[in-house]
Amino acid sequence: MDKKKKRFSRSCQAGALLLIFVLLLSLSVGLHAKYIDTEDKDVAAIAKNFYFESDLLTASTGAMPQYTLEAGVDDITFVLRNYPDELRESEVDIHYEVTLEKEGVTKEKKTGELKINQKVENITFSDLEPGVYEVKAKATKPYVSLLHGRFTLIGIDEELYYSVSDAPGSPNIKVTITTTDYAGTVKISWPDGVLPDNTEEMLETAKGKNCEITVKAQSEYVLQFFKEMPSKDYTTKITVTKDIV
């Protein structure tokens, strides 16, 4: 009888151990399956396409592109895109911020969101002073990406420069007019004893003591005048000015 009890007791113990083992195994399998399921979801989220591109800015990991805009242009305009080409596009909305800096100081900042179906966003910074600007565009959500570019804005120089070449004993005078960004009417004045060379196209109708000519930007003109008295020097007597209405 005692032997039977011992055998039964050992049998019960073995059965209990087997049951615990089965329960632990089931729990382990369930946790493992849950882990795999969660991991698959994370991988699926990471695998969503994300592109943050621009027509003028490039990735900050590369050399900064340099642009010099035409004289007089006072704005910087570029495009942000959520695709690199016609075959690929982002599958997430992109939150971004764009910063305009000059000499290391932030001048302006813009924020926005580039929607999945939006494709492009036009960015413009207007009414800027001449100088060198750095633009940084940063995607902040759901992923981080940084683009950059440098832009040089050149102001308009509408100064008018001229020189008068004369000396005692010279029978004629040379007047050289140099324009920068100025284009328009110029007035030339001279004193008594000086005569314009009417054989020159720009002076063919000139008479009296002054005349007006029309000049183009970024140009140089050399005009000739005659002296009634070659012994005189008229270097400081002839003037050229812009005819500003």
Side-chain angles (χ1 to χ4, degrees):
M1 186 67 179
D2 291 338
K3 289 182 179 182
K4 288 183 179 180
K5 287 183 179 181
K6 288 180 180 181
R7 288 177 181 174
F8 178 75
S9 177
R10 289 176 181 174
S11 177
C12 288
Q13 289 177 357
L17 290 173
L18 179 60
L19 179 60
I20 292 172
F21 175 76
V22 171
L23 290 174
L24 289 175
L25 181 62
S26 299
L27 180 61
S28 175
V29 170
L31 289 174
H32 184 64
K34 183 178 180 180
Y35 171 76
I36 292 175
D37 181 62
T38 302
E39 186 178 37
D40 288 342
K41 290 179 180 179
D42 291 340
V43 170
I46 294 173
K48 286 188 176 181
N49 290 335
F50 169 78
Y51 303 103
F52 189 56
E53 308 283 339
S54 172
D55 60 335
L56 298 180
L57 309 182
T58 61
S60 61
T61 53
M64 182 178 292
Q66 313 277 336
Y67 303 98
T68 299
L69 305 185
E70 292 183 5
V73 173
D74 64 354
D75 62 74
I76 296 173
T77 300
F78 57 93
V79 170
L80 296 178
R81 299 192 298 245
N82 67 358
Y83 66 94
D85 52 53
E86 295 181 355
L87 300 178
R88 296 174 295 169
E89 61 184 44
S90 293
E91 298 176 328
V92 292
D93 295 335
I94 302 172
H95 294 258
Y96 67 84
E97 63 179 29
V98 182
T99 304
L100 179 72
E101 297 181 358
K102 183 180 182 184
E103 297 177 353
V105 178
T106 298
K107 295 297 183 180
E108 194 173 345
K109 180 179 288 188
K110 298 177 181 288
T111 59
E113 184 178 3
L114 193 56
K115 295 287 189 179
I116 295 176
N117 59 353
Q118 187 176 346
K119 303 299 183 185
V120 300
E121 179 80 6
N122 294 307
I123 306 295
T124 299
F125 293 102
S126 303
D127 301 322
L128 302 177
E129 296 292 330
V132 179
Y133 295 85
E134 288 190 10
V135 175
K136 298 177 181 177
K138 182 180 181 181
T140 59
K141 184 180 178 182
Y143 311 112
V144 176
S145 180
L146 183 62
L147 308 174
H148 63 178
R150 180 177 289 123
F151 299 81
T152 299
L153 273 61
I154 302 174
I156 294 179
D157 180 6
E158 291 191 327
E159 288 298 319
L160 187 68
Y161 302 93
Y162 75 95
S163 64
V164 179
S165 177
D166 187 23
S170 174
N172 54 34
I173 306 167
K174 295 289 186 183
V175 178
T176 302
I177 302 171
T178 304
T179 64
T180 50
D181 295 313
Y182 177 75
T185 304
V186 169
K187 182 178 181 179
I188 307 172
S189 301
W190 56 86
D192 290 332
V194 175
L195 303 172
D197 183 357
N198 294 130
T199 63
E200 294 192 11
E201 182 179 355
M202 300 191 79
L203 297 175
E204 62 182 359
T205 61
K207 59 183 179 179
K209 298 171 63 176
N210 61 70
C211 73
E212 292 183 349
I213 63 173
T214 301
V215 298
K216 297 179 180 180
Q218 309 298 330
S219 302
E220 182 177 274
Y221 303 88
V222 180
L223 307 176
Q224 179 172 255
F225 293 79
F226 299 114
K227 297 191 297 185
E228 291 181 346
M229 299 182 64
S231 61
K232 289 191 174 183
D233 185 349
Y234 294 97
T235 301
T236 61
K237 304 298 183 178
I238 298 178
T239 61
V240 179
T241 57
K242 292 186 293 184
D243 187 20
I244 301 176
V245 179

mmCIF file of all heavy atoms in Angstrom, residues 179-204:
data_model
loop_
_atom_site.group_PDB
_atom_site.id
_atom_site.type_symbol
_atom_site.label_atom_id
_atom_site.label_comp_id
_atom_site.label_asym_id
_atom_site.label_seq_id
_atom_site.Cartn_x
_atom_site.Cartn_y
_atom_site.Cartn_z
ATOM 1 N N THR A 179 28.282 103.957 -67.698
ATOM 2 C CA THR A 179 27.068 103.654 -66.933
ATOM 3 C C THR A 179 27.247 102.342 -66.167
ATOM 4 O O THR A 179 28.061 101.495 -66.536
ATOM 5 C CB THR A 179 25.846 103.529 -67.851
ATOM 6 O OG1 THR A 179 26.038 102.412 -68.723
ATOM 7 C CG2 THR A 179 25.667 104.776 -68.682
ATOM 8 N N THR A 180 26.484 102.177 -65.112
ATOM 9 C CA THR A 180 26.443 100.916 -64.355
ATOM 10 C C THR A 180 25.090 100.274 -64.632
ATOM 11 O O THR A 180 24.865 99.753 -65.710
ATOM 12 C CB THR A 180 26.655 101.196 -62.858
ATOM 13 O OG1 THR A 180 25.766 102.250 -62.444
ATOM 14 C CG2 THR A 180 28.091 101.628 -62.580
ATOM 15 N N ASP A 181 24.182 100.338 -63.666
ATOM 16 C CA ASP A 181 22.836 99.812 -63.891
ATOM 17 C C ASP A 181 21.880 100.908 -64.359
ATOM 18 O O ASP A 181 20.695 100.653 -64.546
ATOM 19 C CB ASP A 181 22.294 99.175 -62.600
ATOM 20 C CG ASP A 181 23.093 97.959 -62.197
ATOM 21 O OD1 ASP A 181 23.363 97.123 -63.063
ATOM 22 O OD2 ASP A 181 23.463 97.852 -61.010
ATOM 23 N N TYR A 182 22.409 102.095 -64.526
ATOM 24 C CA TYR A 182 21.556 103.202 -64.965
ATOM 25 C C TYR A 182 21.370 103.173 -66.482
ATOM 26 O O TYR A 182 22.317 102.999 -67.246
ATOM 27 C CB TYR A 182 22.161 104.548 -64.574
ATOM 28 C CG TYR A 182 21.351 105.724 -65.078
ATOM 29 C CD1 TYR A 182 20.153 106.071 -64.468
ATOM 30 C CD2 TYR A 182 21.779 106.466 -66.177
ATOM 31 C CE1 TYR A 182 19.398 107.142 -64.933
ATOM 32 C CE2 TYR A 182 21.023 107.538 -66.652
ATOM 33 C CZ TYR A 182 19.833 107.868 -66.025
ATOM 34 O OH TYR A 182 19.081 108.912 -66.499
ATOM 35 N N ALA A 183 20.134 103.371 -66.888
ATOM 36 C CA ALA A 183 19.798 103.511 -68.307
ATOM 37 C C ALA A 183 18.764 104.605 -68.411
ATOM 38 O O ALA A 183 17.779 104.627 -67.669
ATOM 39 C CB ALA A 183 19.266 102.206 -68.873
ATOM 40 N N GLY A 184 18.996 105.539 -69.314
ATOM 41 C CA GLY A 184 18.050 106.648 -69.450
ATOM 42 C C GLY A 184 18.702 107.850 -70.096
ATOM 43 O O GLY A 184 19.623 107.722 -70.904
ATOM 44 N N THR A 185 18.216 109.018 -69.698
ATOM 45 C CA THR A 185 18.685 110.270 -70.303
ATOM 46 C C THR A 185 19.824 110.884 -69.497
ATOM 47 O O THR A 185 19.790 110.896 -68.265
ATOM 48 C CB THR A 185 17.525 111.279 -70.403
ATOM 49 O OG1 THR A 185 16.455 110.687 -71.132
ATOM 50 C CG2 THR A 185 17.967 112.543 -71.106
ATOM 51 N N VAL A 186 20.824 111.376 -70.216
ATOM 52 C CA VAL A 186 21.972 112.036 -69.604
ATOM 53 C C VAL A 186 22.094 113.429 -70.192
ATOM 54 O O VAL A 186 21.961 113.632 -71.410
ATOM 55 C CB VAL A 186 23.270 111.235 -69.873
ATOM 56 C CG1 VAL A 186 24.491 112.046 -69.473
ATOM 57 C CG2 VAL A 186 23.236 109.918 -69.121
ATOM 58 N N LYS A 187 22.359 114.402 -69.323
ATOM 59 C CA LYS A 187 22.519 115.785 -69.770
ATOM 60 C C LYS A 187 23.993 116.181 -69.726
ATOM 61 O O LYS A 187 24.660 116.009 -68.706
ATOM 62 C CB LYS A 187 21.708 116.722 -68.880
ATOM 63 C CG LYS A 187 21.773 118.179 -69.309
ATOM 64 C CD LYS A 187 20.889 119.038 -68.407
ATOM 65 C CE LYS A 187 20.925 120.504 -68.863
ATOM 66 N NZ LYS A 187 20.055 121.357 -68.013
ATOM 67 N N ILE A 188 24.494 116.701 -70.821
ATOM 68 C CA ILE A 188 25.883 117.167 -70.926
ATOM 69 C C ILE A 188 25.867 118.686 -71.061
ATOM 70 O O ILE A 188 25.157 119.227 -71.917
ATOM 71 C CB ILE A 188 26.604 116.554 -72.140
ATOM 72 C CG1 ILE A 188 26.477 115.030 -72.126
ATOM 73 C CG2 ILE A 188 28.078 116.957 -72.145
ATOM 74 C CD1 ILE A 188 27.005 114.367 -73.386
ATOM 75 N N SER A 189 26.642 119.370 -70.240
ATOM 76 C CA SER A 189 26.713 120.840 -70.282
ATOM 77 C C SER A 189 28.157 121.283 -70.506
ATOM 78 O O SER A 189 29.091 120.666 -69.984
ATOM 79 C CB SER A 189 26.187 121.441 -68.971
ATOM 80 O OG SER A 189 24.848 121.053 -68.741
ATOM 81 N N TRP A 190 28.341 122.355 -71.276
ATOM 82 C CA TRP A 190 29.681 122.873 -71.556
ATOM 83 C C TRP A 190 29.633 124.412 -71.617
ATOM 84 O O TRP A 190 28.565 125.007 -71.817
ATOM 85 C CB TRP A 190 30.202 122.289 -72.879
ATOM 86 C CG TRP A 190 29.308 122.537 -74.051
ATOM 87 C CD1 TRP A 190 29.289 123.650 -74.855
ATOM 88 C CD2 TRP A 190 28.280 121.678 -74.552
ATOM 89 N NE1 TRP A 190 28.326 123.543 -75.824
ATOM 90 C CE2 TRP A 190 27.692 122.327 -75.667
ATOM 91 C CE3 TRP A 190 27.788 120.416 -74.184
ATOM 92 C CZ2 TRP A 190 26.646 121.775 -76.392
ATOM 93 C CZ3 TRP A 190 26.751 119.864 -74.898
ATOM 94 C CH2 TRP A 190 26.194 120.528 -76.000
ATOM 95 N N PRO A 191 30.773 125.048 -71.465
ATOM 96 C CA PRO A 191 30.805 126.523 -71.442
ATOM 97 C C PRO A 191 30.979 127.121 -72.841
ATOM 98 O O PRO A 191 31.122 126.401 -73.835
ATOM 99 C CB PRO A 191 32.022 126.812 -70.567
ATOM 100 C CG PRO A 191 32.949 125.685 -70.895
ATOM 101 C CD PRO A 191 32.063 124.468 -71.090
ATOM 102 N N ASP A 192 30.981 128.454 -72.899
ATOM 103 C CA ASP A 192 31.260 129.150 -74.159
ATOM 104 C C ASP A 192 32.666 128.787 -74.626
ATOM 105 O O ASP A 192 33.571 128.563 -73.825
ATOM 106 C CB ASP A 192 31.178 130.673 -73.951
ATOM 107 C CG ASP A 192 29.754 131.142 -73.710
ATOM 108 O OD1 ASP A 192 28.836 130.477 -74.209
ATOM 109 O OD2 ASP A 192 29.583 132.145 -72.986
ATOM 110 N N GLY A 193 32.838 128.739 -75.911
ATOM 111 C CA GLY A 193 34.143 128.411 -76.479
ATOM 112 C C GLY A 193 34.307 126.925 -76.760
ATOM 113 O O GLY A 193 35.328 126.497 -77.300
ATOM 114 N N VAL A 194 33.297 126.120 -76.377
ATOM 115 C CA VAL A 194 33.328 124.675 -76.629
ATOM 116 C C VAL A 194 32.208 124.331 -77.612
ATOM 117 O O VAL A 194 31.053 124.765 -77.440
ATOM 118 C CB VAL A 194 33.163 123.870 -75.319
ATOM 119 C CG1 VAL A 194 33.066 122.377 -75.625
ATOM 120 C CG2 VAL A 194 34.315 124.151 -74.378
ATOM 121 N N LEU A 195 32.556 123.516 -78.614
ATOM 122 C CA LEU A 195 31.583 123.141 -79.641
ATOM 123 C C LEU A 195 31.478 121.626 -79.755
ATOM 124 O O LEU A 195 32.501 120.927 -79.825
ATOM 125 C CB LEU A 195 31.999 123.722 -81.001
ATOM 126 C CG LEU A 195 32.193 125.241 -81.058
ATOM 127 C CD1 LEU A 195 32.805 125.621 -82.414
ATOM 128 C CD2 LEU A 195 30.865 125.952 -80.852
ATOM 129 N N PRO A 196 30.244 121.060 -79.759
ATOM 130 C CA PRO A 196 30.090 119.605 -79.914
ATOM 131 C C PRO A 196 30.436 119.163 -81.326
ATOM 132 O O PRO A 196 30.219 119.915 -82.296
ATOM 133 C CB PRO A 196 28.611 119.368 -79.602
ATOM 134 C CG PRO A 196 27.946 120.659 -79.947
ATOM 135 C CD PRO A 196 28.942 121.747 -79.606
ATOM 136 N N ASP A 197 30.959 117.985 -81.449
ATOM 137 C CA ASP A 197 31.278 117.427 -82.763
ATOM 138 C C ASP A 197 30.001 116.822 -83.340
ATOM 139 O O ASP A 197 29.618 115.693 -83.006
ATOM 140 C CB ASP A 197 32.365 116.360 -82.611
ATOM 141 C CG ASP A 197 32.799 115.779 -83.946
ATOM 142 O OD1 ASP A 197 32.208 116.165 -84.980
ATOM 143 O OD2 ASP A 197 33.703 114.927 -83.956
ATOM 144 N N ASN A 198 29.352 117.568 -84.227
ATOM 145 C CA ASN A 198 28.065 117.125 -84.769
ATOM 146 C C ASN A 198 28.185 115.982 -85.762
ATOM 147 O O ASN A 198 27.160 115.480 -86.251
ATOM 148 C CB ASN A 198 27.344 118.301 -85.432
ATOM 149 C CG ASN A 198 26.940 119.373 -84.443
ATOM 150 O OD1 ASN A 198 27.206 120.553 -84.646
ATOM 151 N ND2 ASN A 198 26.292 118.989 -83.343
ATOM 152 N N THR A 199 29.421 115.546 -86.068
ATOM 153 C CA THR A 199 29.564 114.382 -86.948
ATOM 154 C C THR A 199 29.348 113.082 -86.182
ATOM 155 O O THR A 199 29.169 112.026 -86.794
ATOM 156 C CB THR A 199 30.959 114.373 -87.599
ATOM 157 O OG1 THR A 199 31.957 114.236 -86.586
ATOM 158 C CG2 THR A 199 31.196 115.645 -88.397
ATOM 159 N N GLU A 200 29.372 113.176 -84.861
ATOM 160 C CA GLU A 200 29.105 111.996 -84.032
ATOM 161 C C GLU A 200 27.603 111.805 -83.904
ATOM 162 O O GLU A 200 26.848 112.779 -83.702
ATOM 163 C CB GLU A 200 29.756 112.135 -82.656
ATOM 164 C CG GLU A 200 31.277 112.141 -82.693
ATOM 165 C CD GLU A 200 31.864 111.993 -81.309
ATOM 166 O OE1 GLU A 200 31.119 111.678 -80.369
ATOM 167 O OE2 GLU A 200 33.085 112.181 -81.169
ATOM 168 N N GLU A 201 27.165 110.569 -83.999
ATOM 169 C CA GLU A 201 25.727 110.269 -84.003
ATOM 170 C C GLU A 201 25.012 110.807 -82.774
ATOM 171 O O GLU A 201 23.911 111.372 -82.874
ATOM 172 C CB GLU A 201 25.517 108.754 -84.110
ATOM 173 C CG GLU A 201 24.061 108.349 -84.178
ATOM 174 C CD GLU A 201 23.881 106.844 -84.311
ATOM 175 O OE1 GLU A 201 24.900 106.124 -84.438
ATOM 176 O OE2 GLU A 201 22.727 106.396 -84.282
ATOM 177 N N MET A 202 25.613 110.661 -81.597
ATOM 178 C CA MET A 202 24.941 111.073 -80.368
ATOM 179 C C MET A 202 24.941 112.590 -80.190
ATOM 180 O O MET A 202 24.213 113.121 -79.345
ATOM 181 C CB MET A 202 25.580 110.399 -79.153
ATOM 182 C CG MET A 202 25.529 108.892 -79.190
ATOM 183 S SD MET A 202 25.998 108.113 -77.641
ATOM 184 C CE MET A 202 24.490 108.300 -76.687
ATOM 185 N N LEU A 203 25.762 113.317 -80.966
ATOM 186 C CA LEU A 203 25.857 114.773 -80.826
ATOM 187 C C LEU A 203 25.411 115.508 -82.091
ATOM 188 O O LEU A 203 25.580 116.730 -82.189
ATOM 189 C CB LEU A 203 27.306 115.176 -80.496
ATOM 190 C CG LEU A 203 27.883 114.676 -79.180
ATOM 191 C CD1 LEU A 203 29.350 115.062 -79.079
ATOM 192 C CD2 LEU A 203 27.093 115.215 -77.991
ATOM 193 N N GLU A 204 24.819 114.811 -83.022
ATOM 194 C CA GLU A 204 24.513 115.428 -84.323
ATOM 195 C C GLU A 204 23.490 116.557 -84.218
ATOM 196 O O GLU A 204 23.458 117.458 -85.075
ATOM 197 C CB GLU A 204 24.040 114.371 -85.320
ATOM 198 C CG GLU A 204 22.765 113.646 -84.937
ATOM 199 C CD GLU A 204 22.384 112.572 -85.959
ATOM 200 O OE1 GLU A 204 23.119 112.436 -86.955
ATOM 201 O OE2 GLU A 204 21.364 111.875 -85.752
#
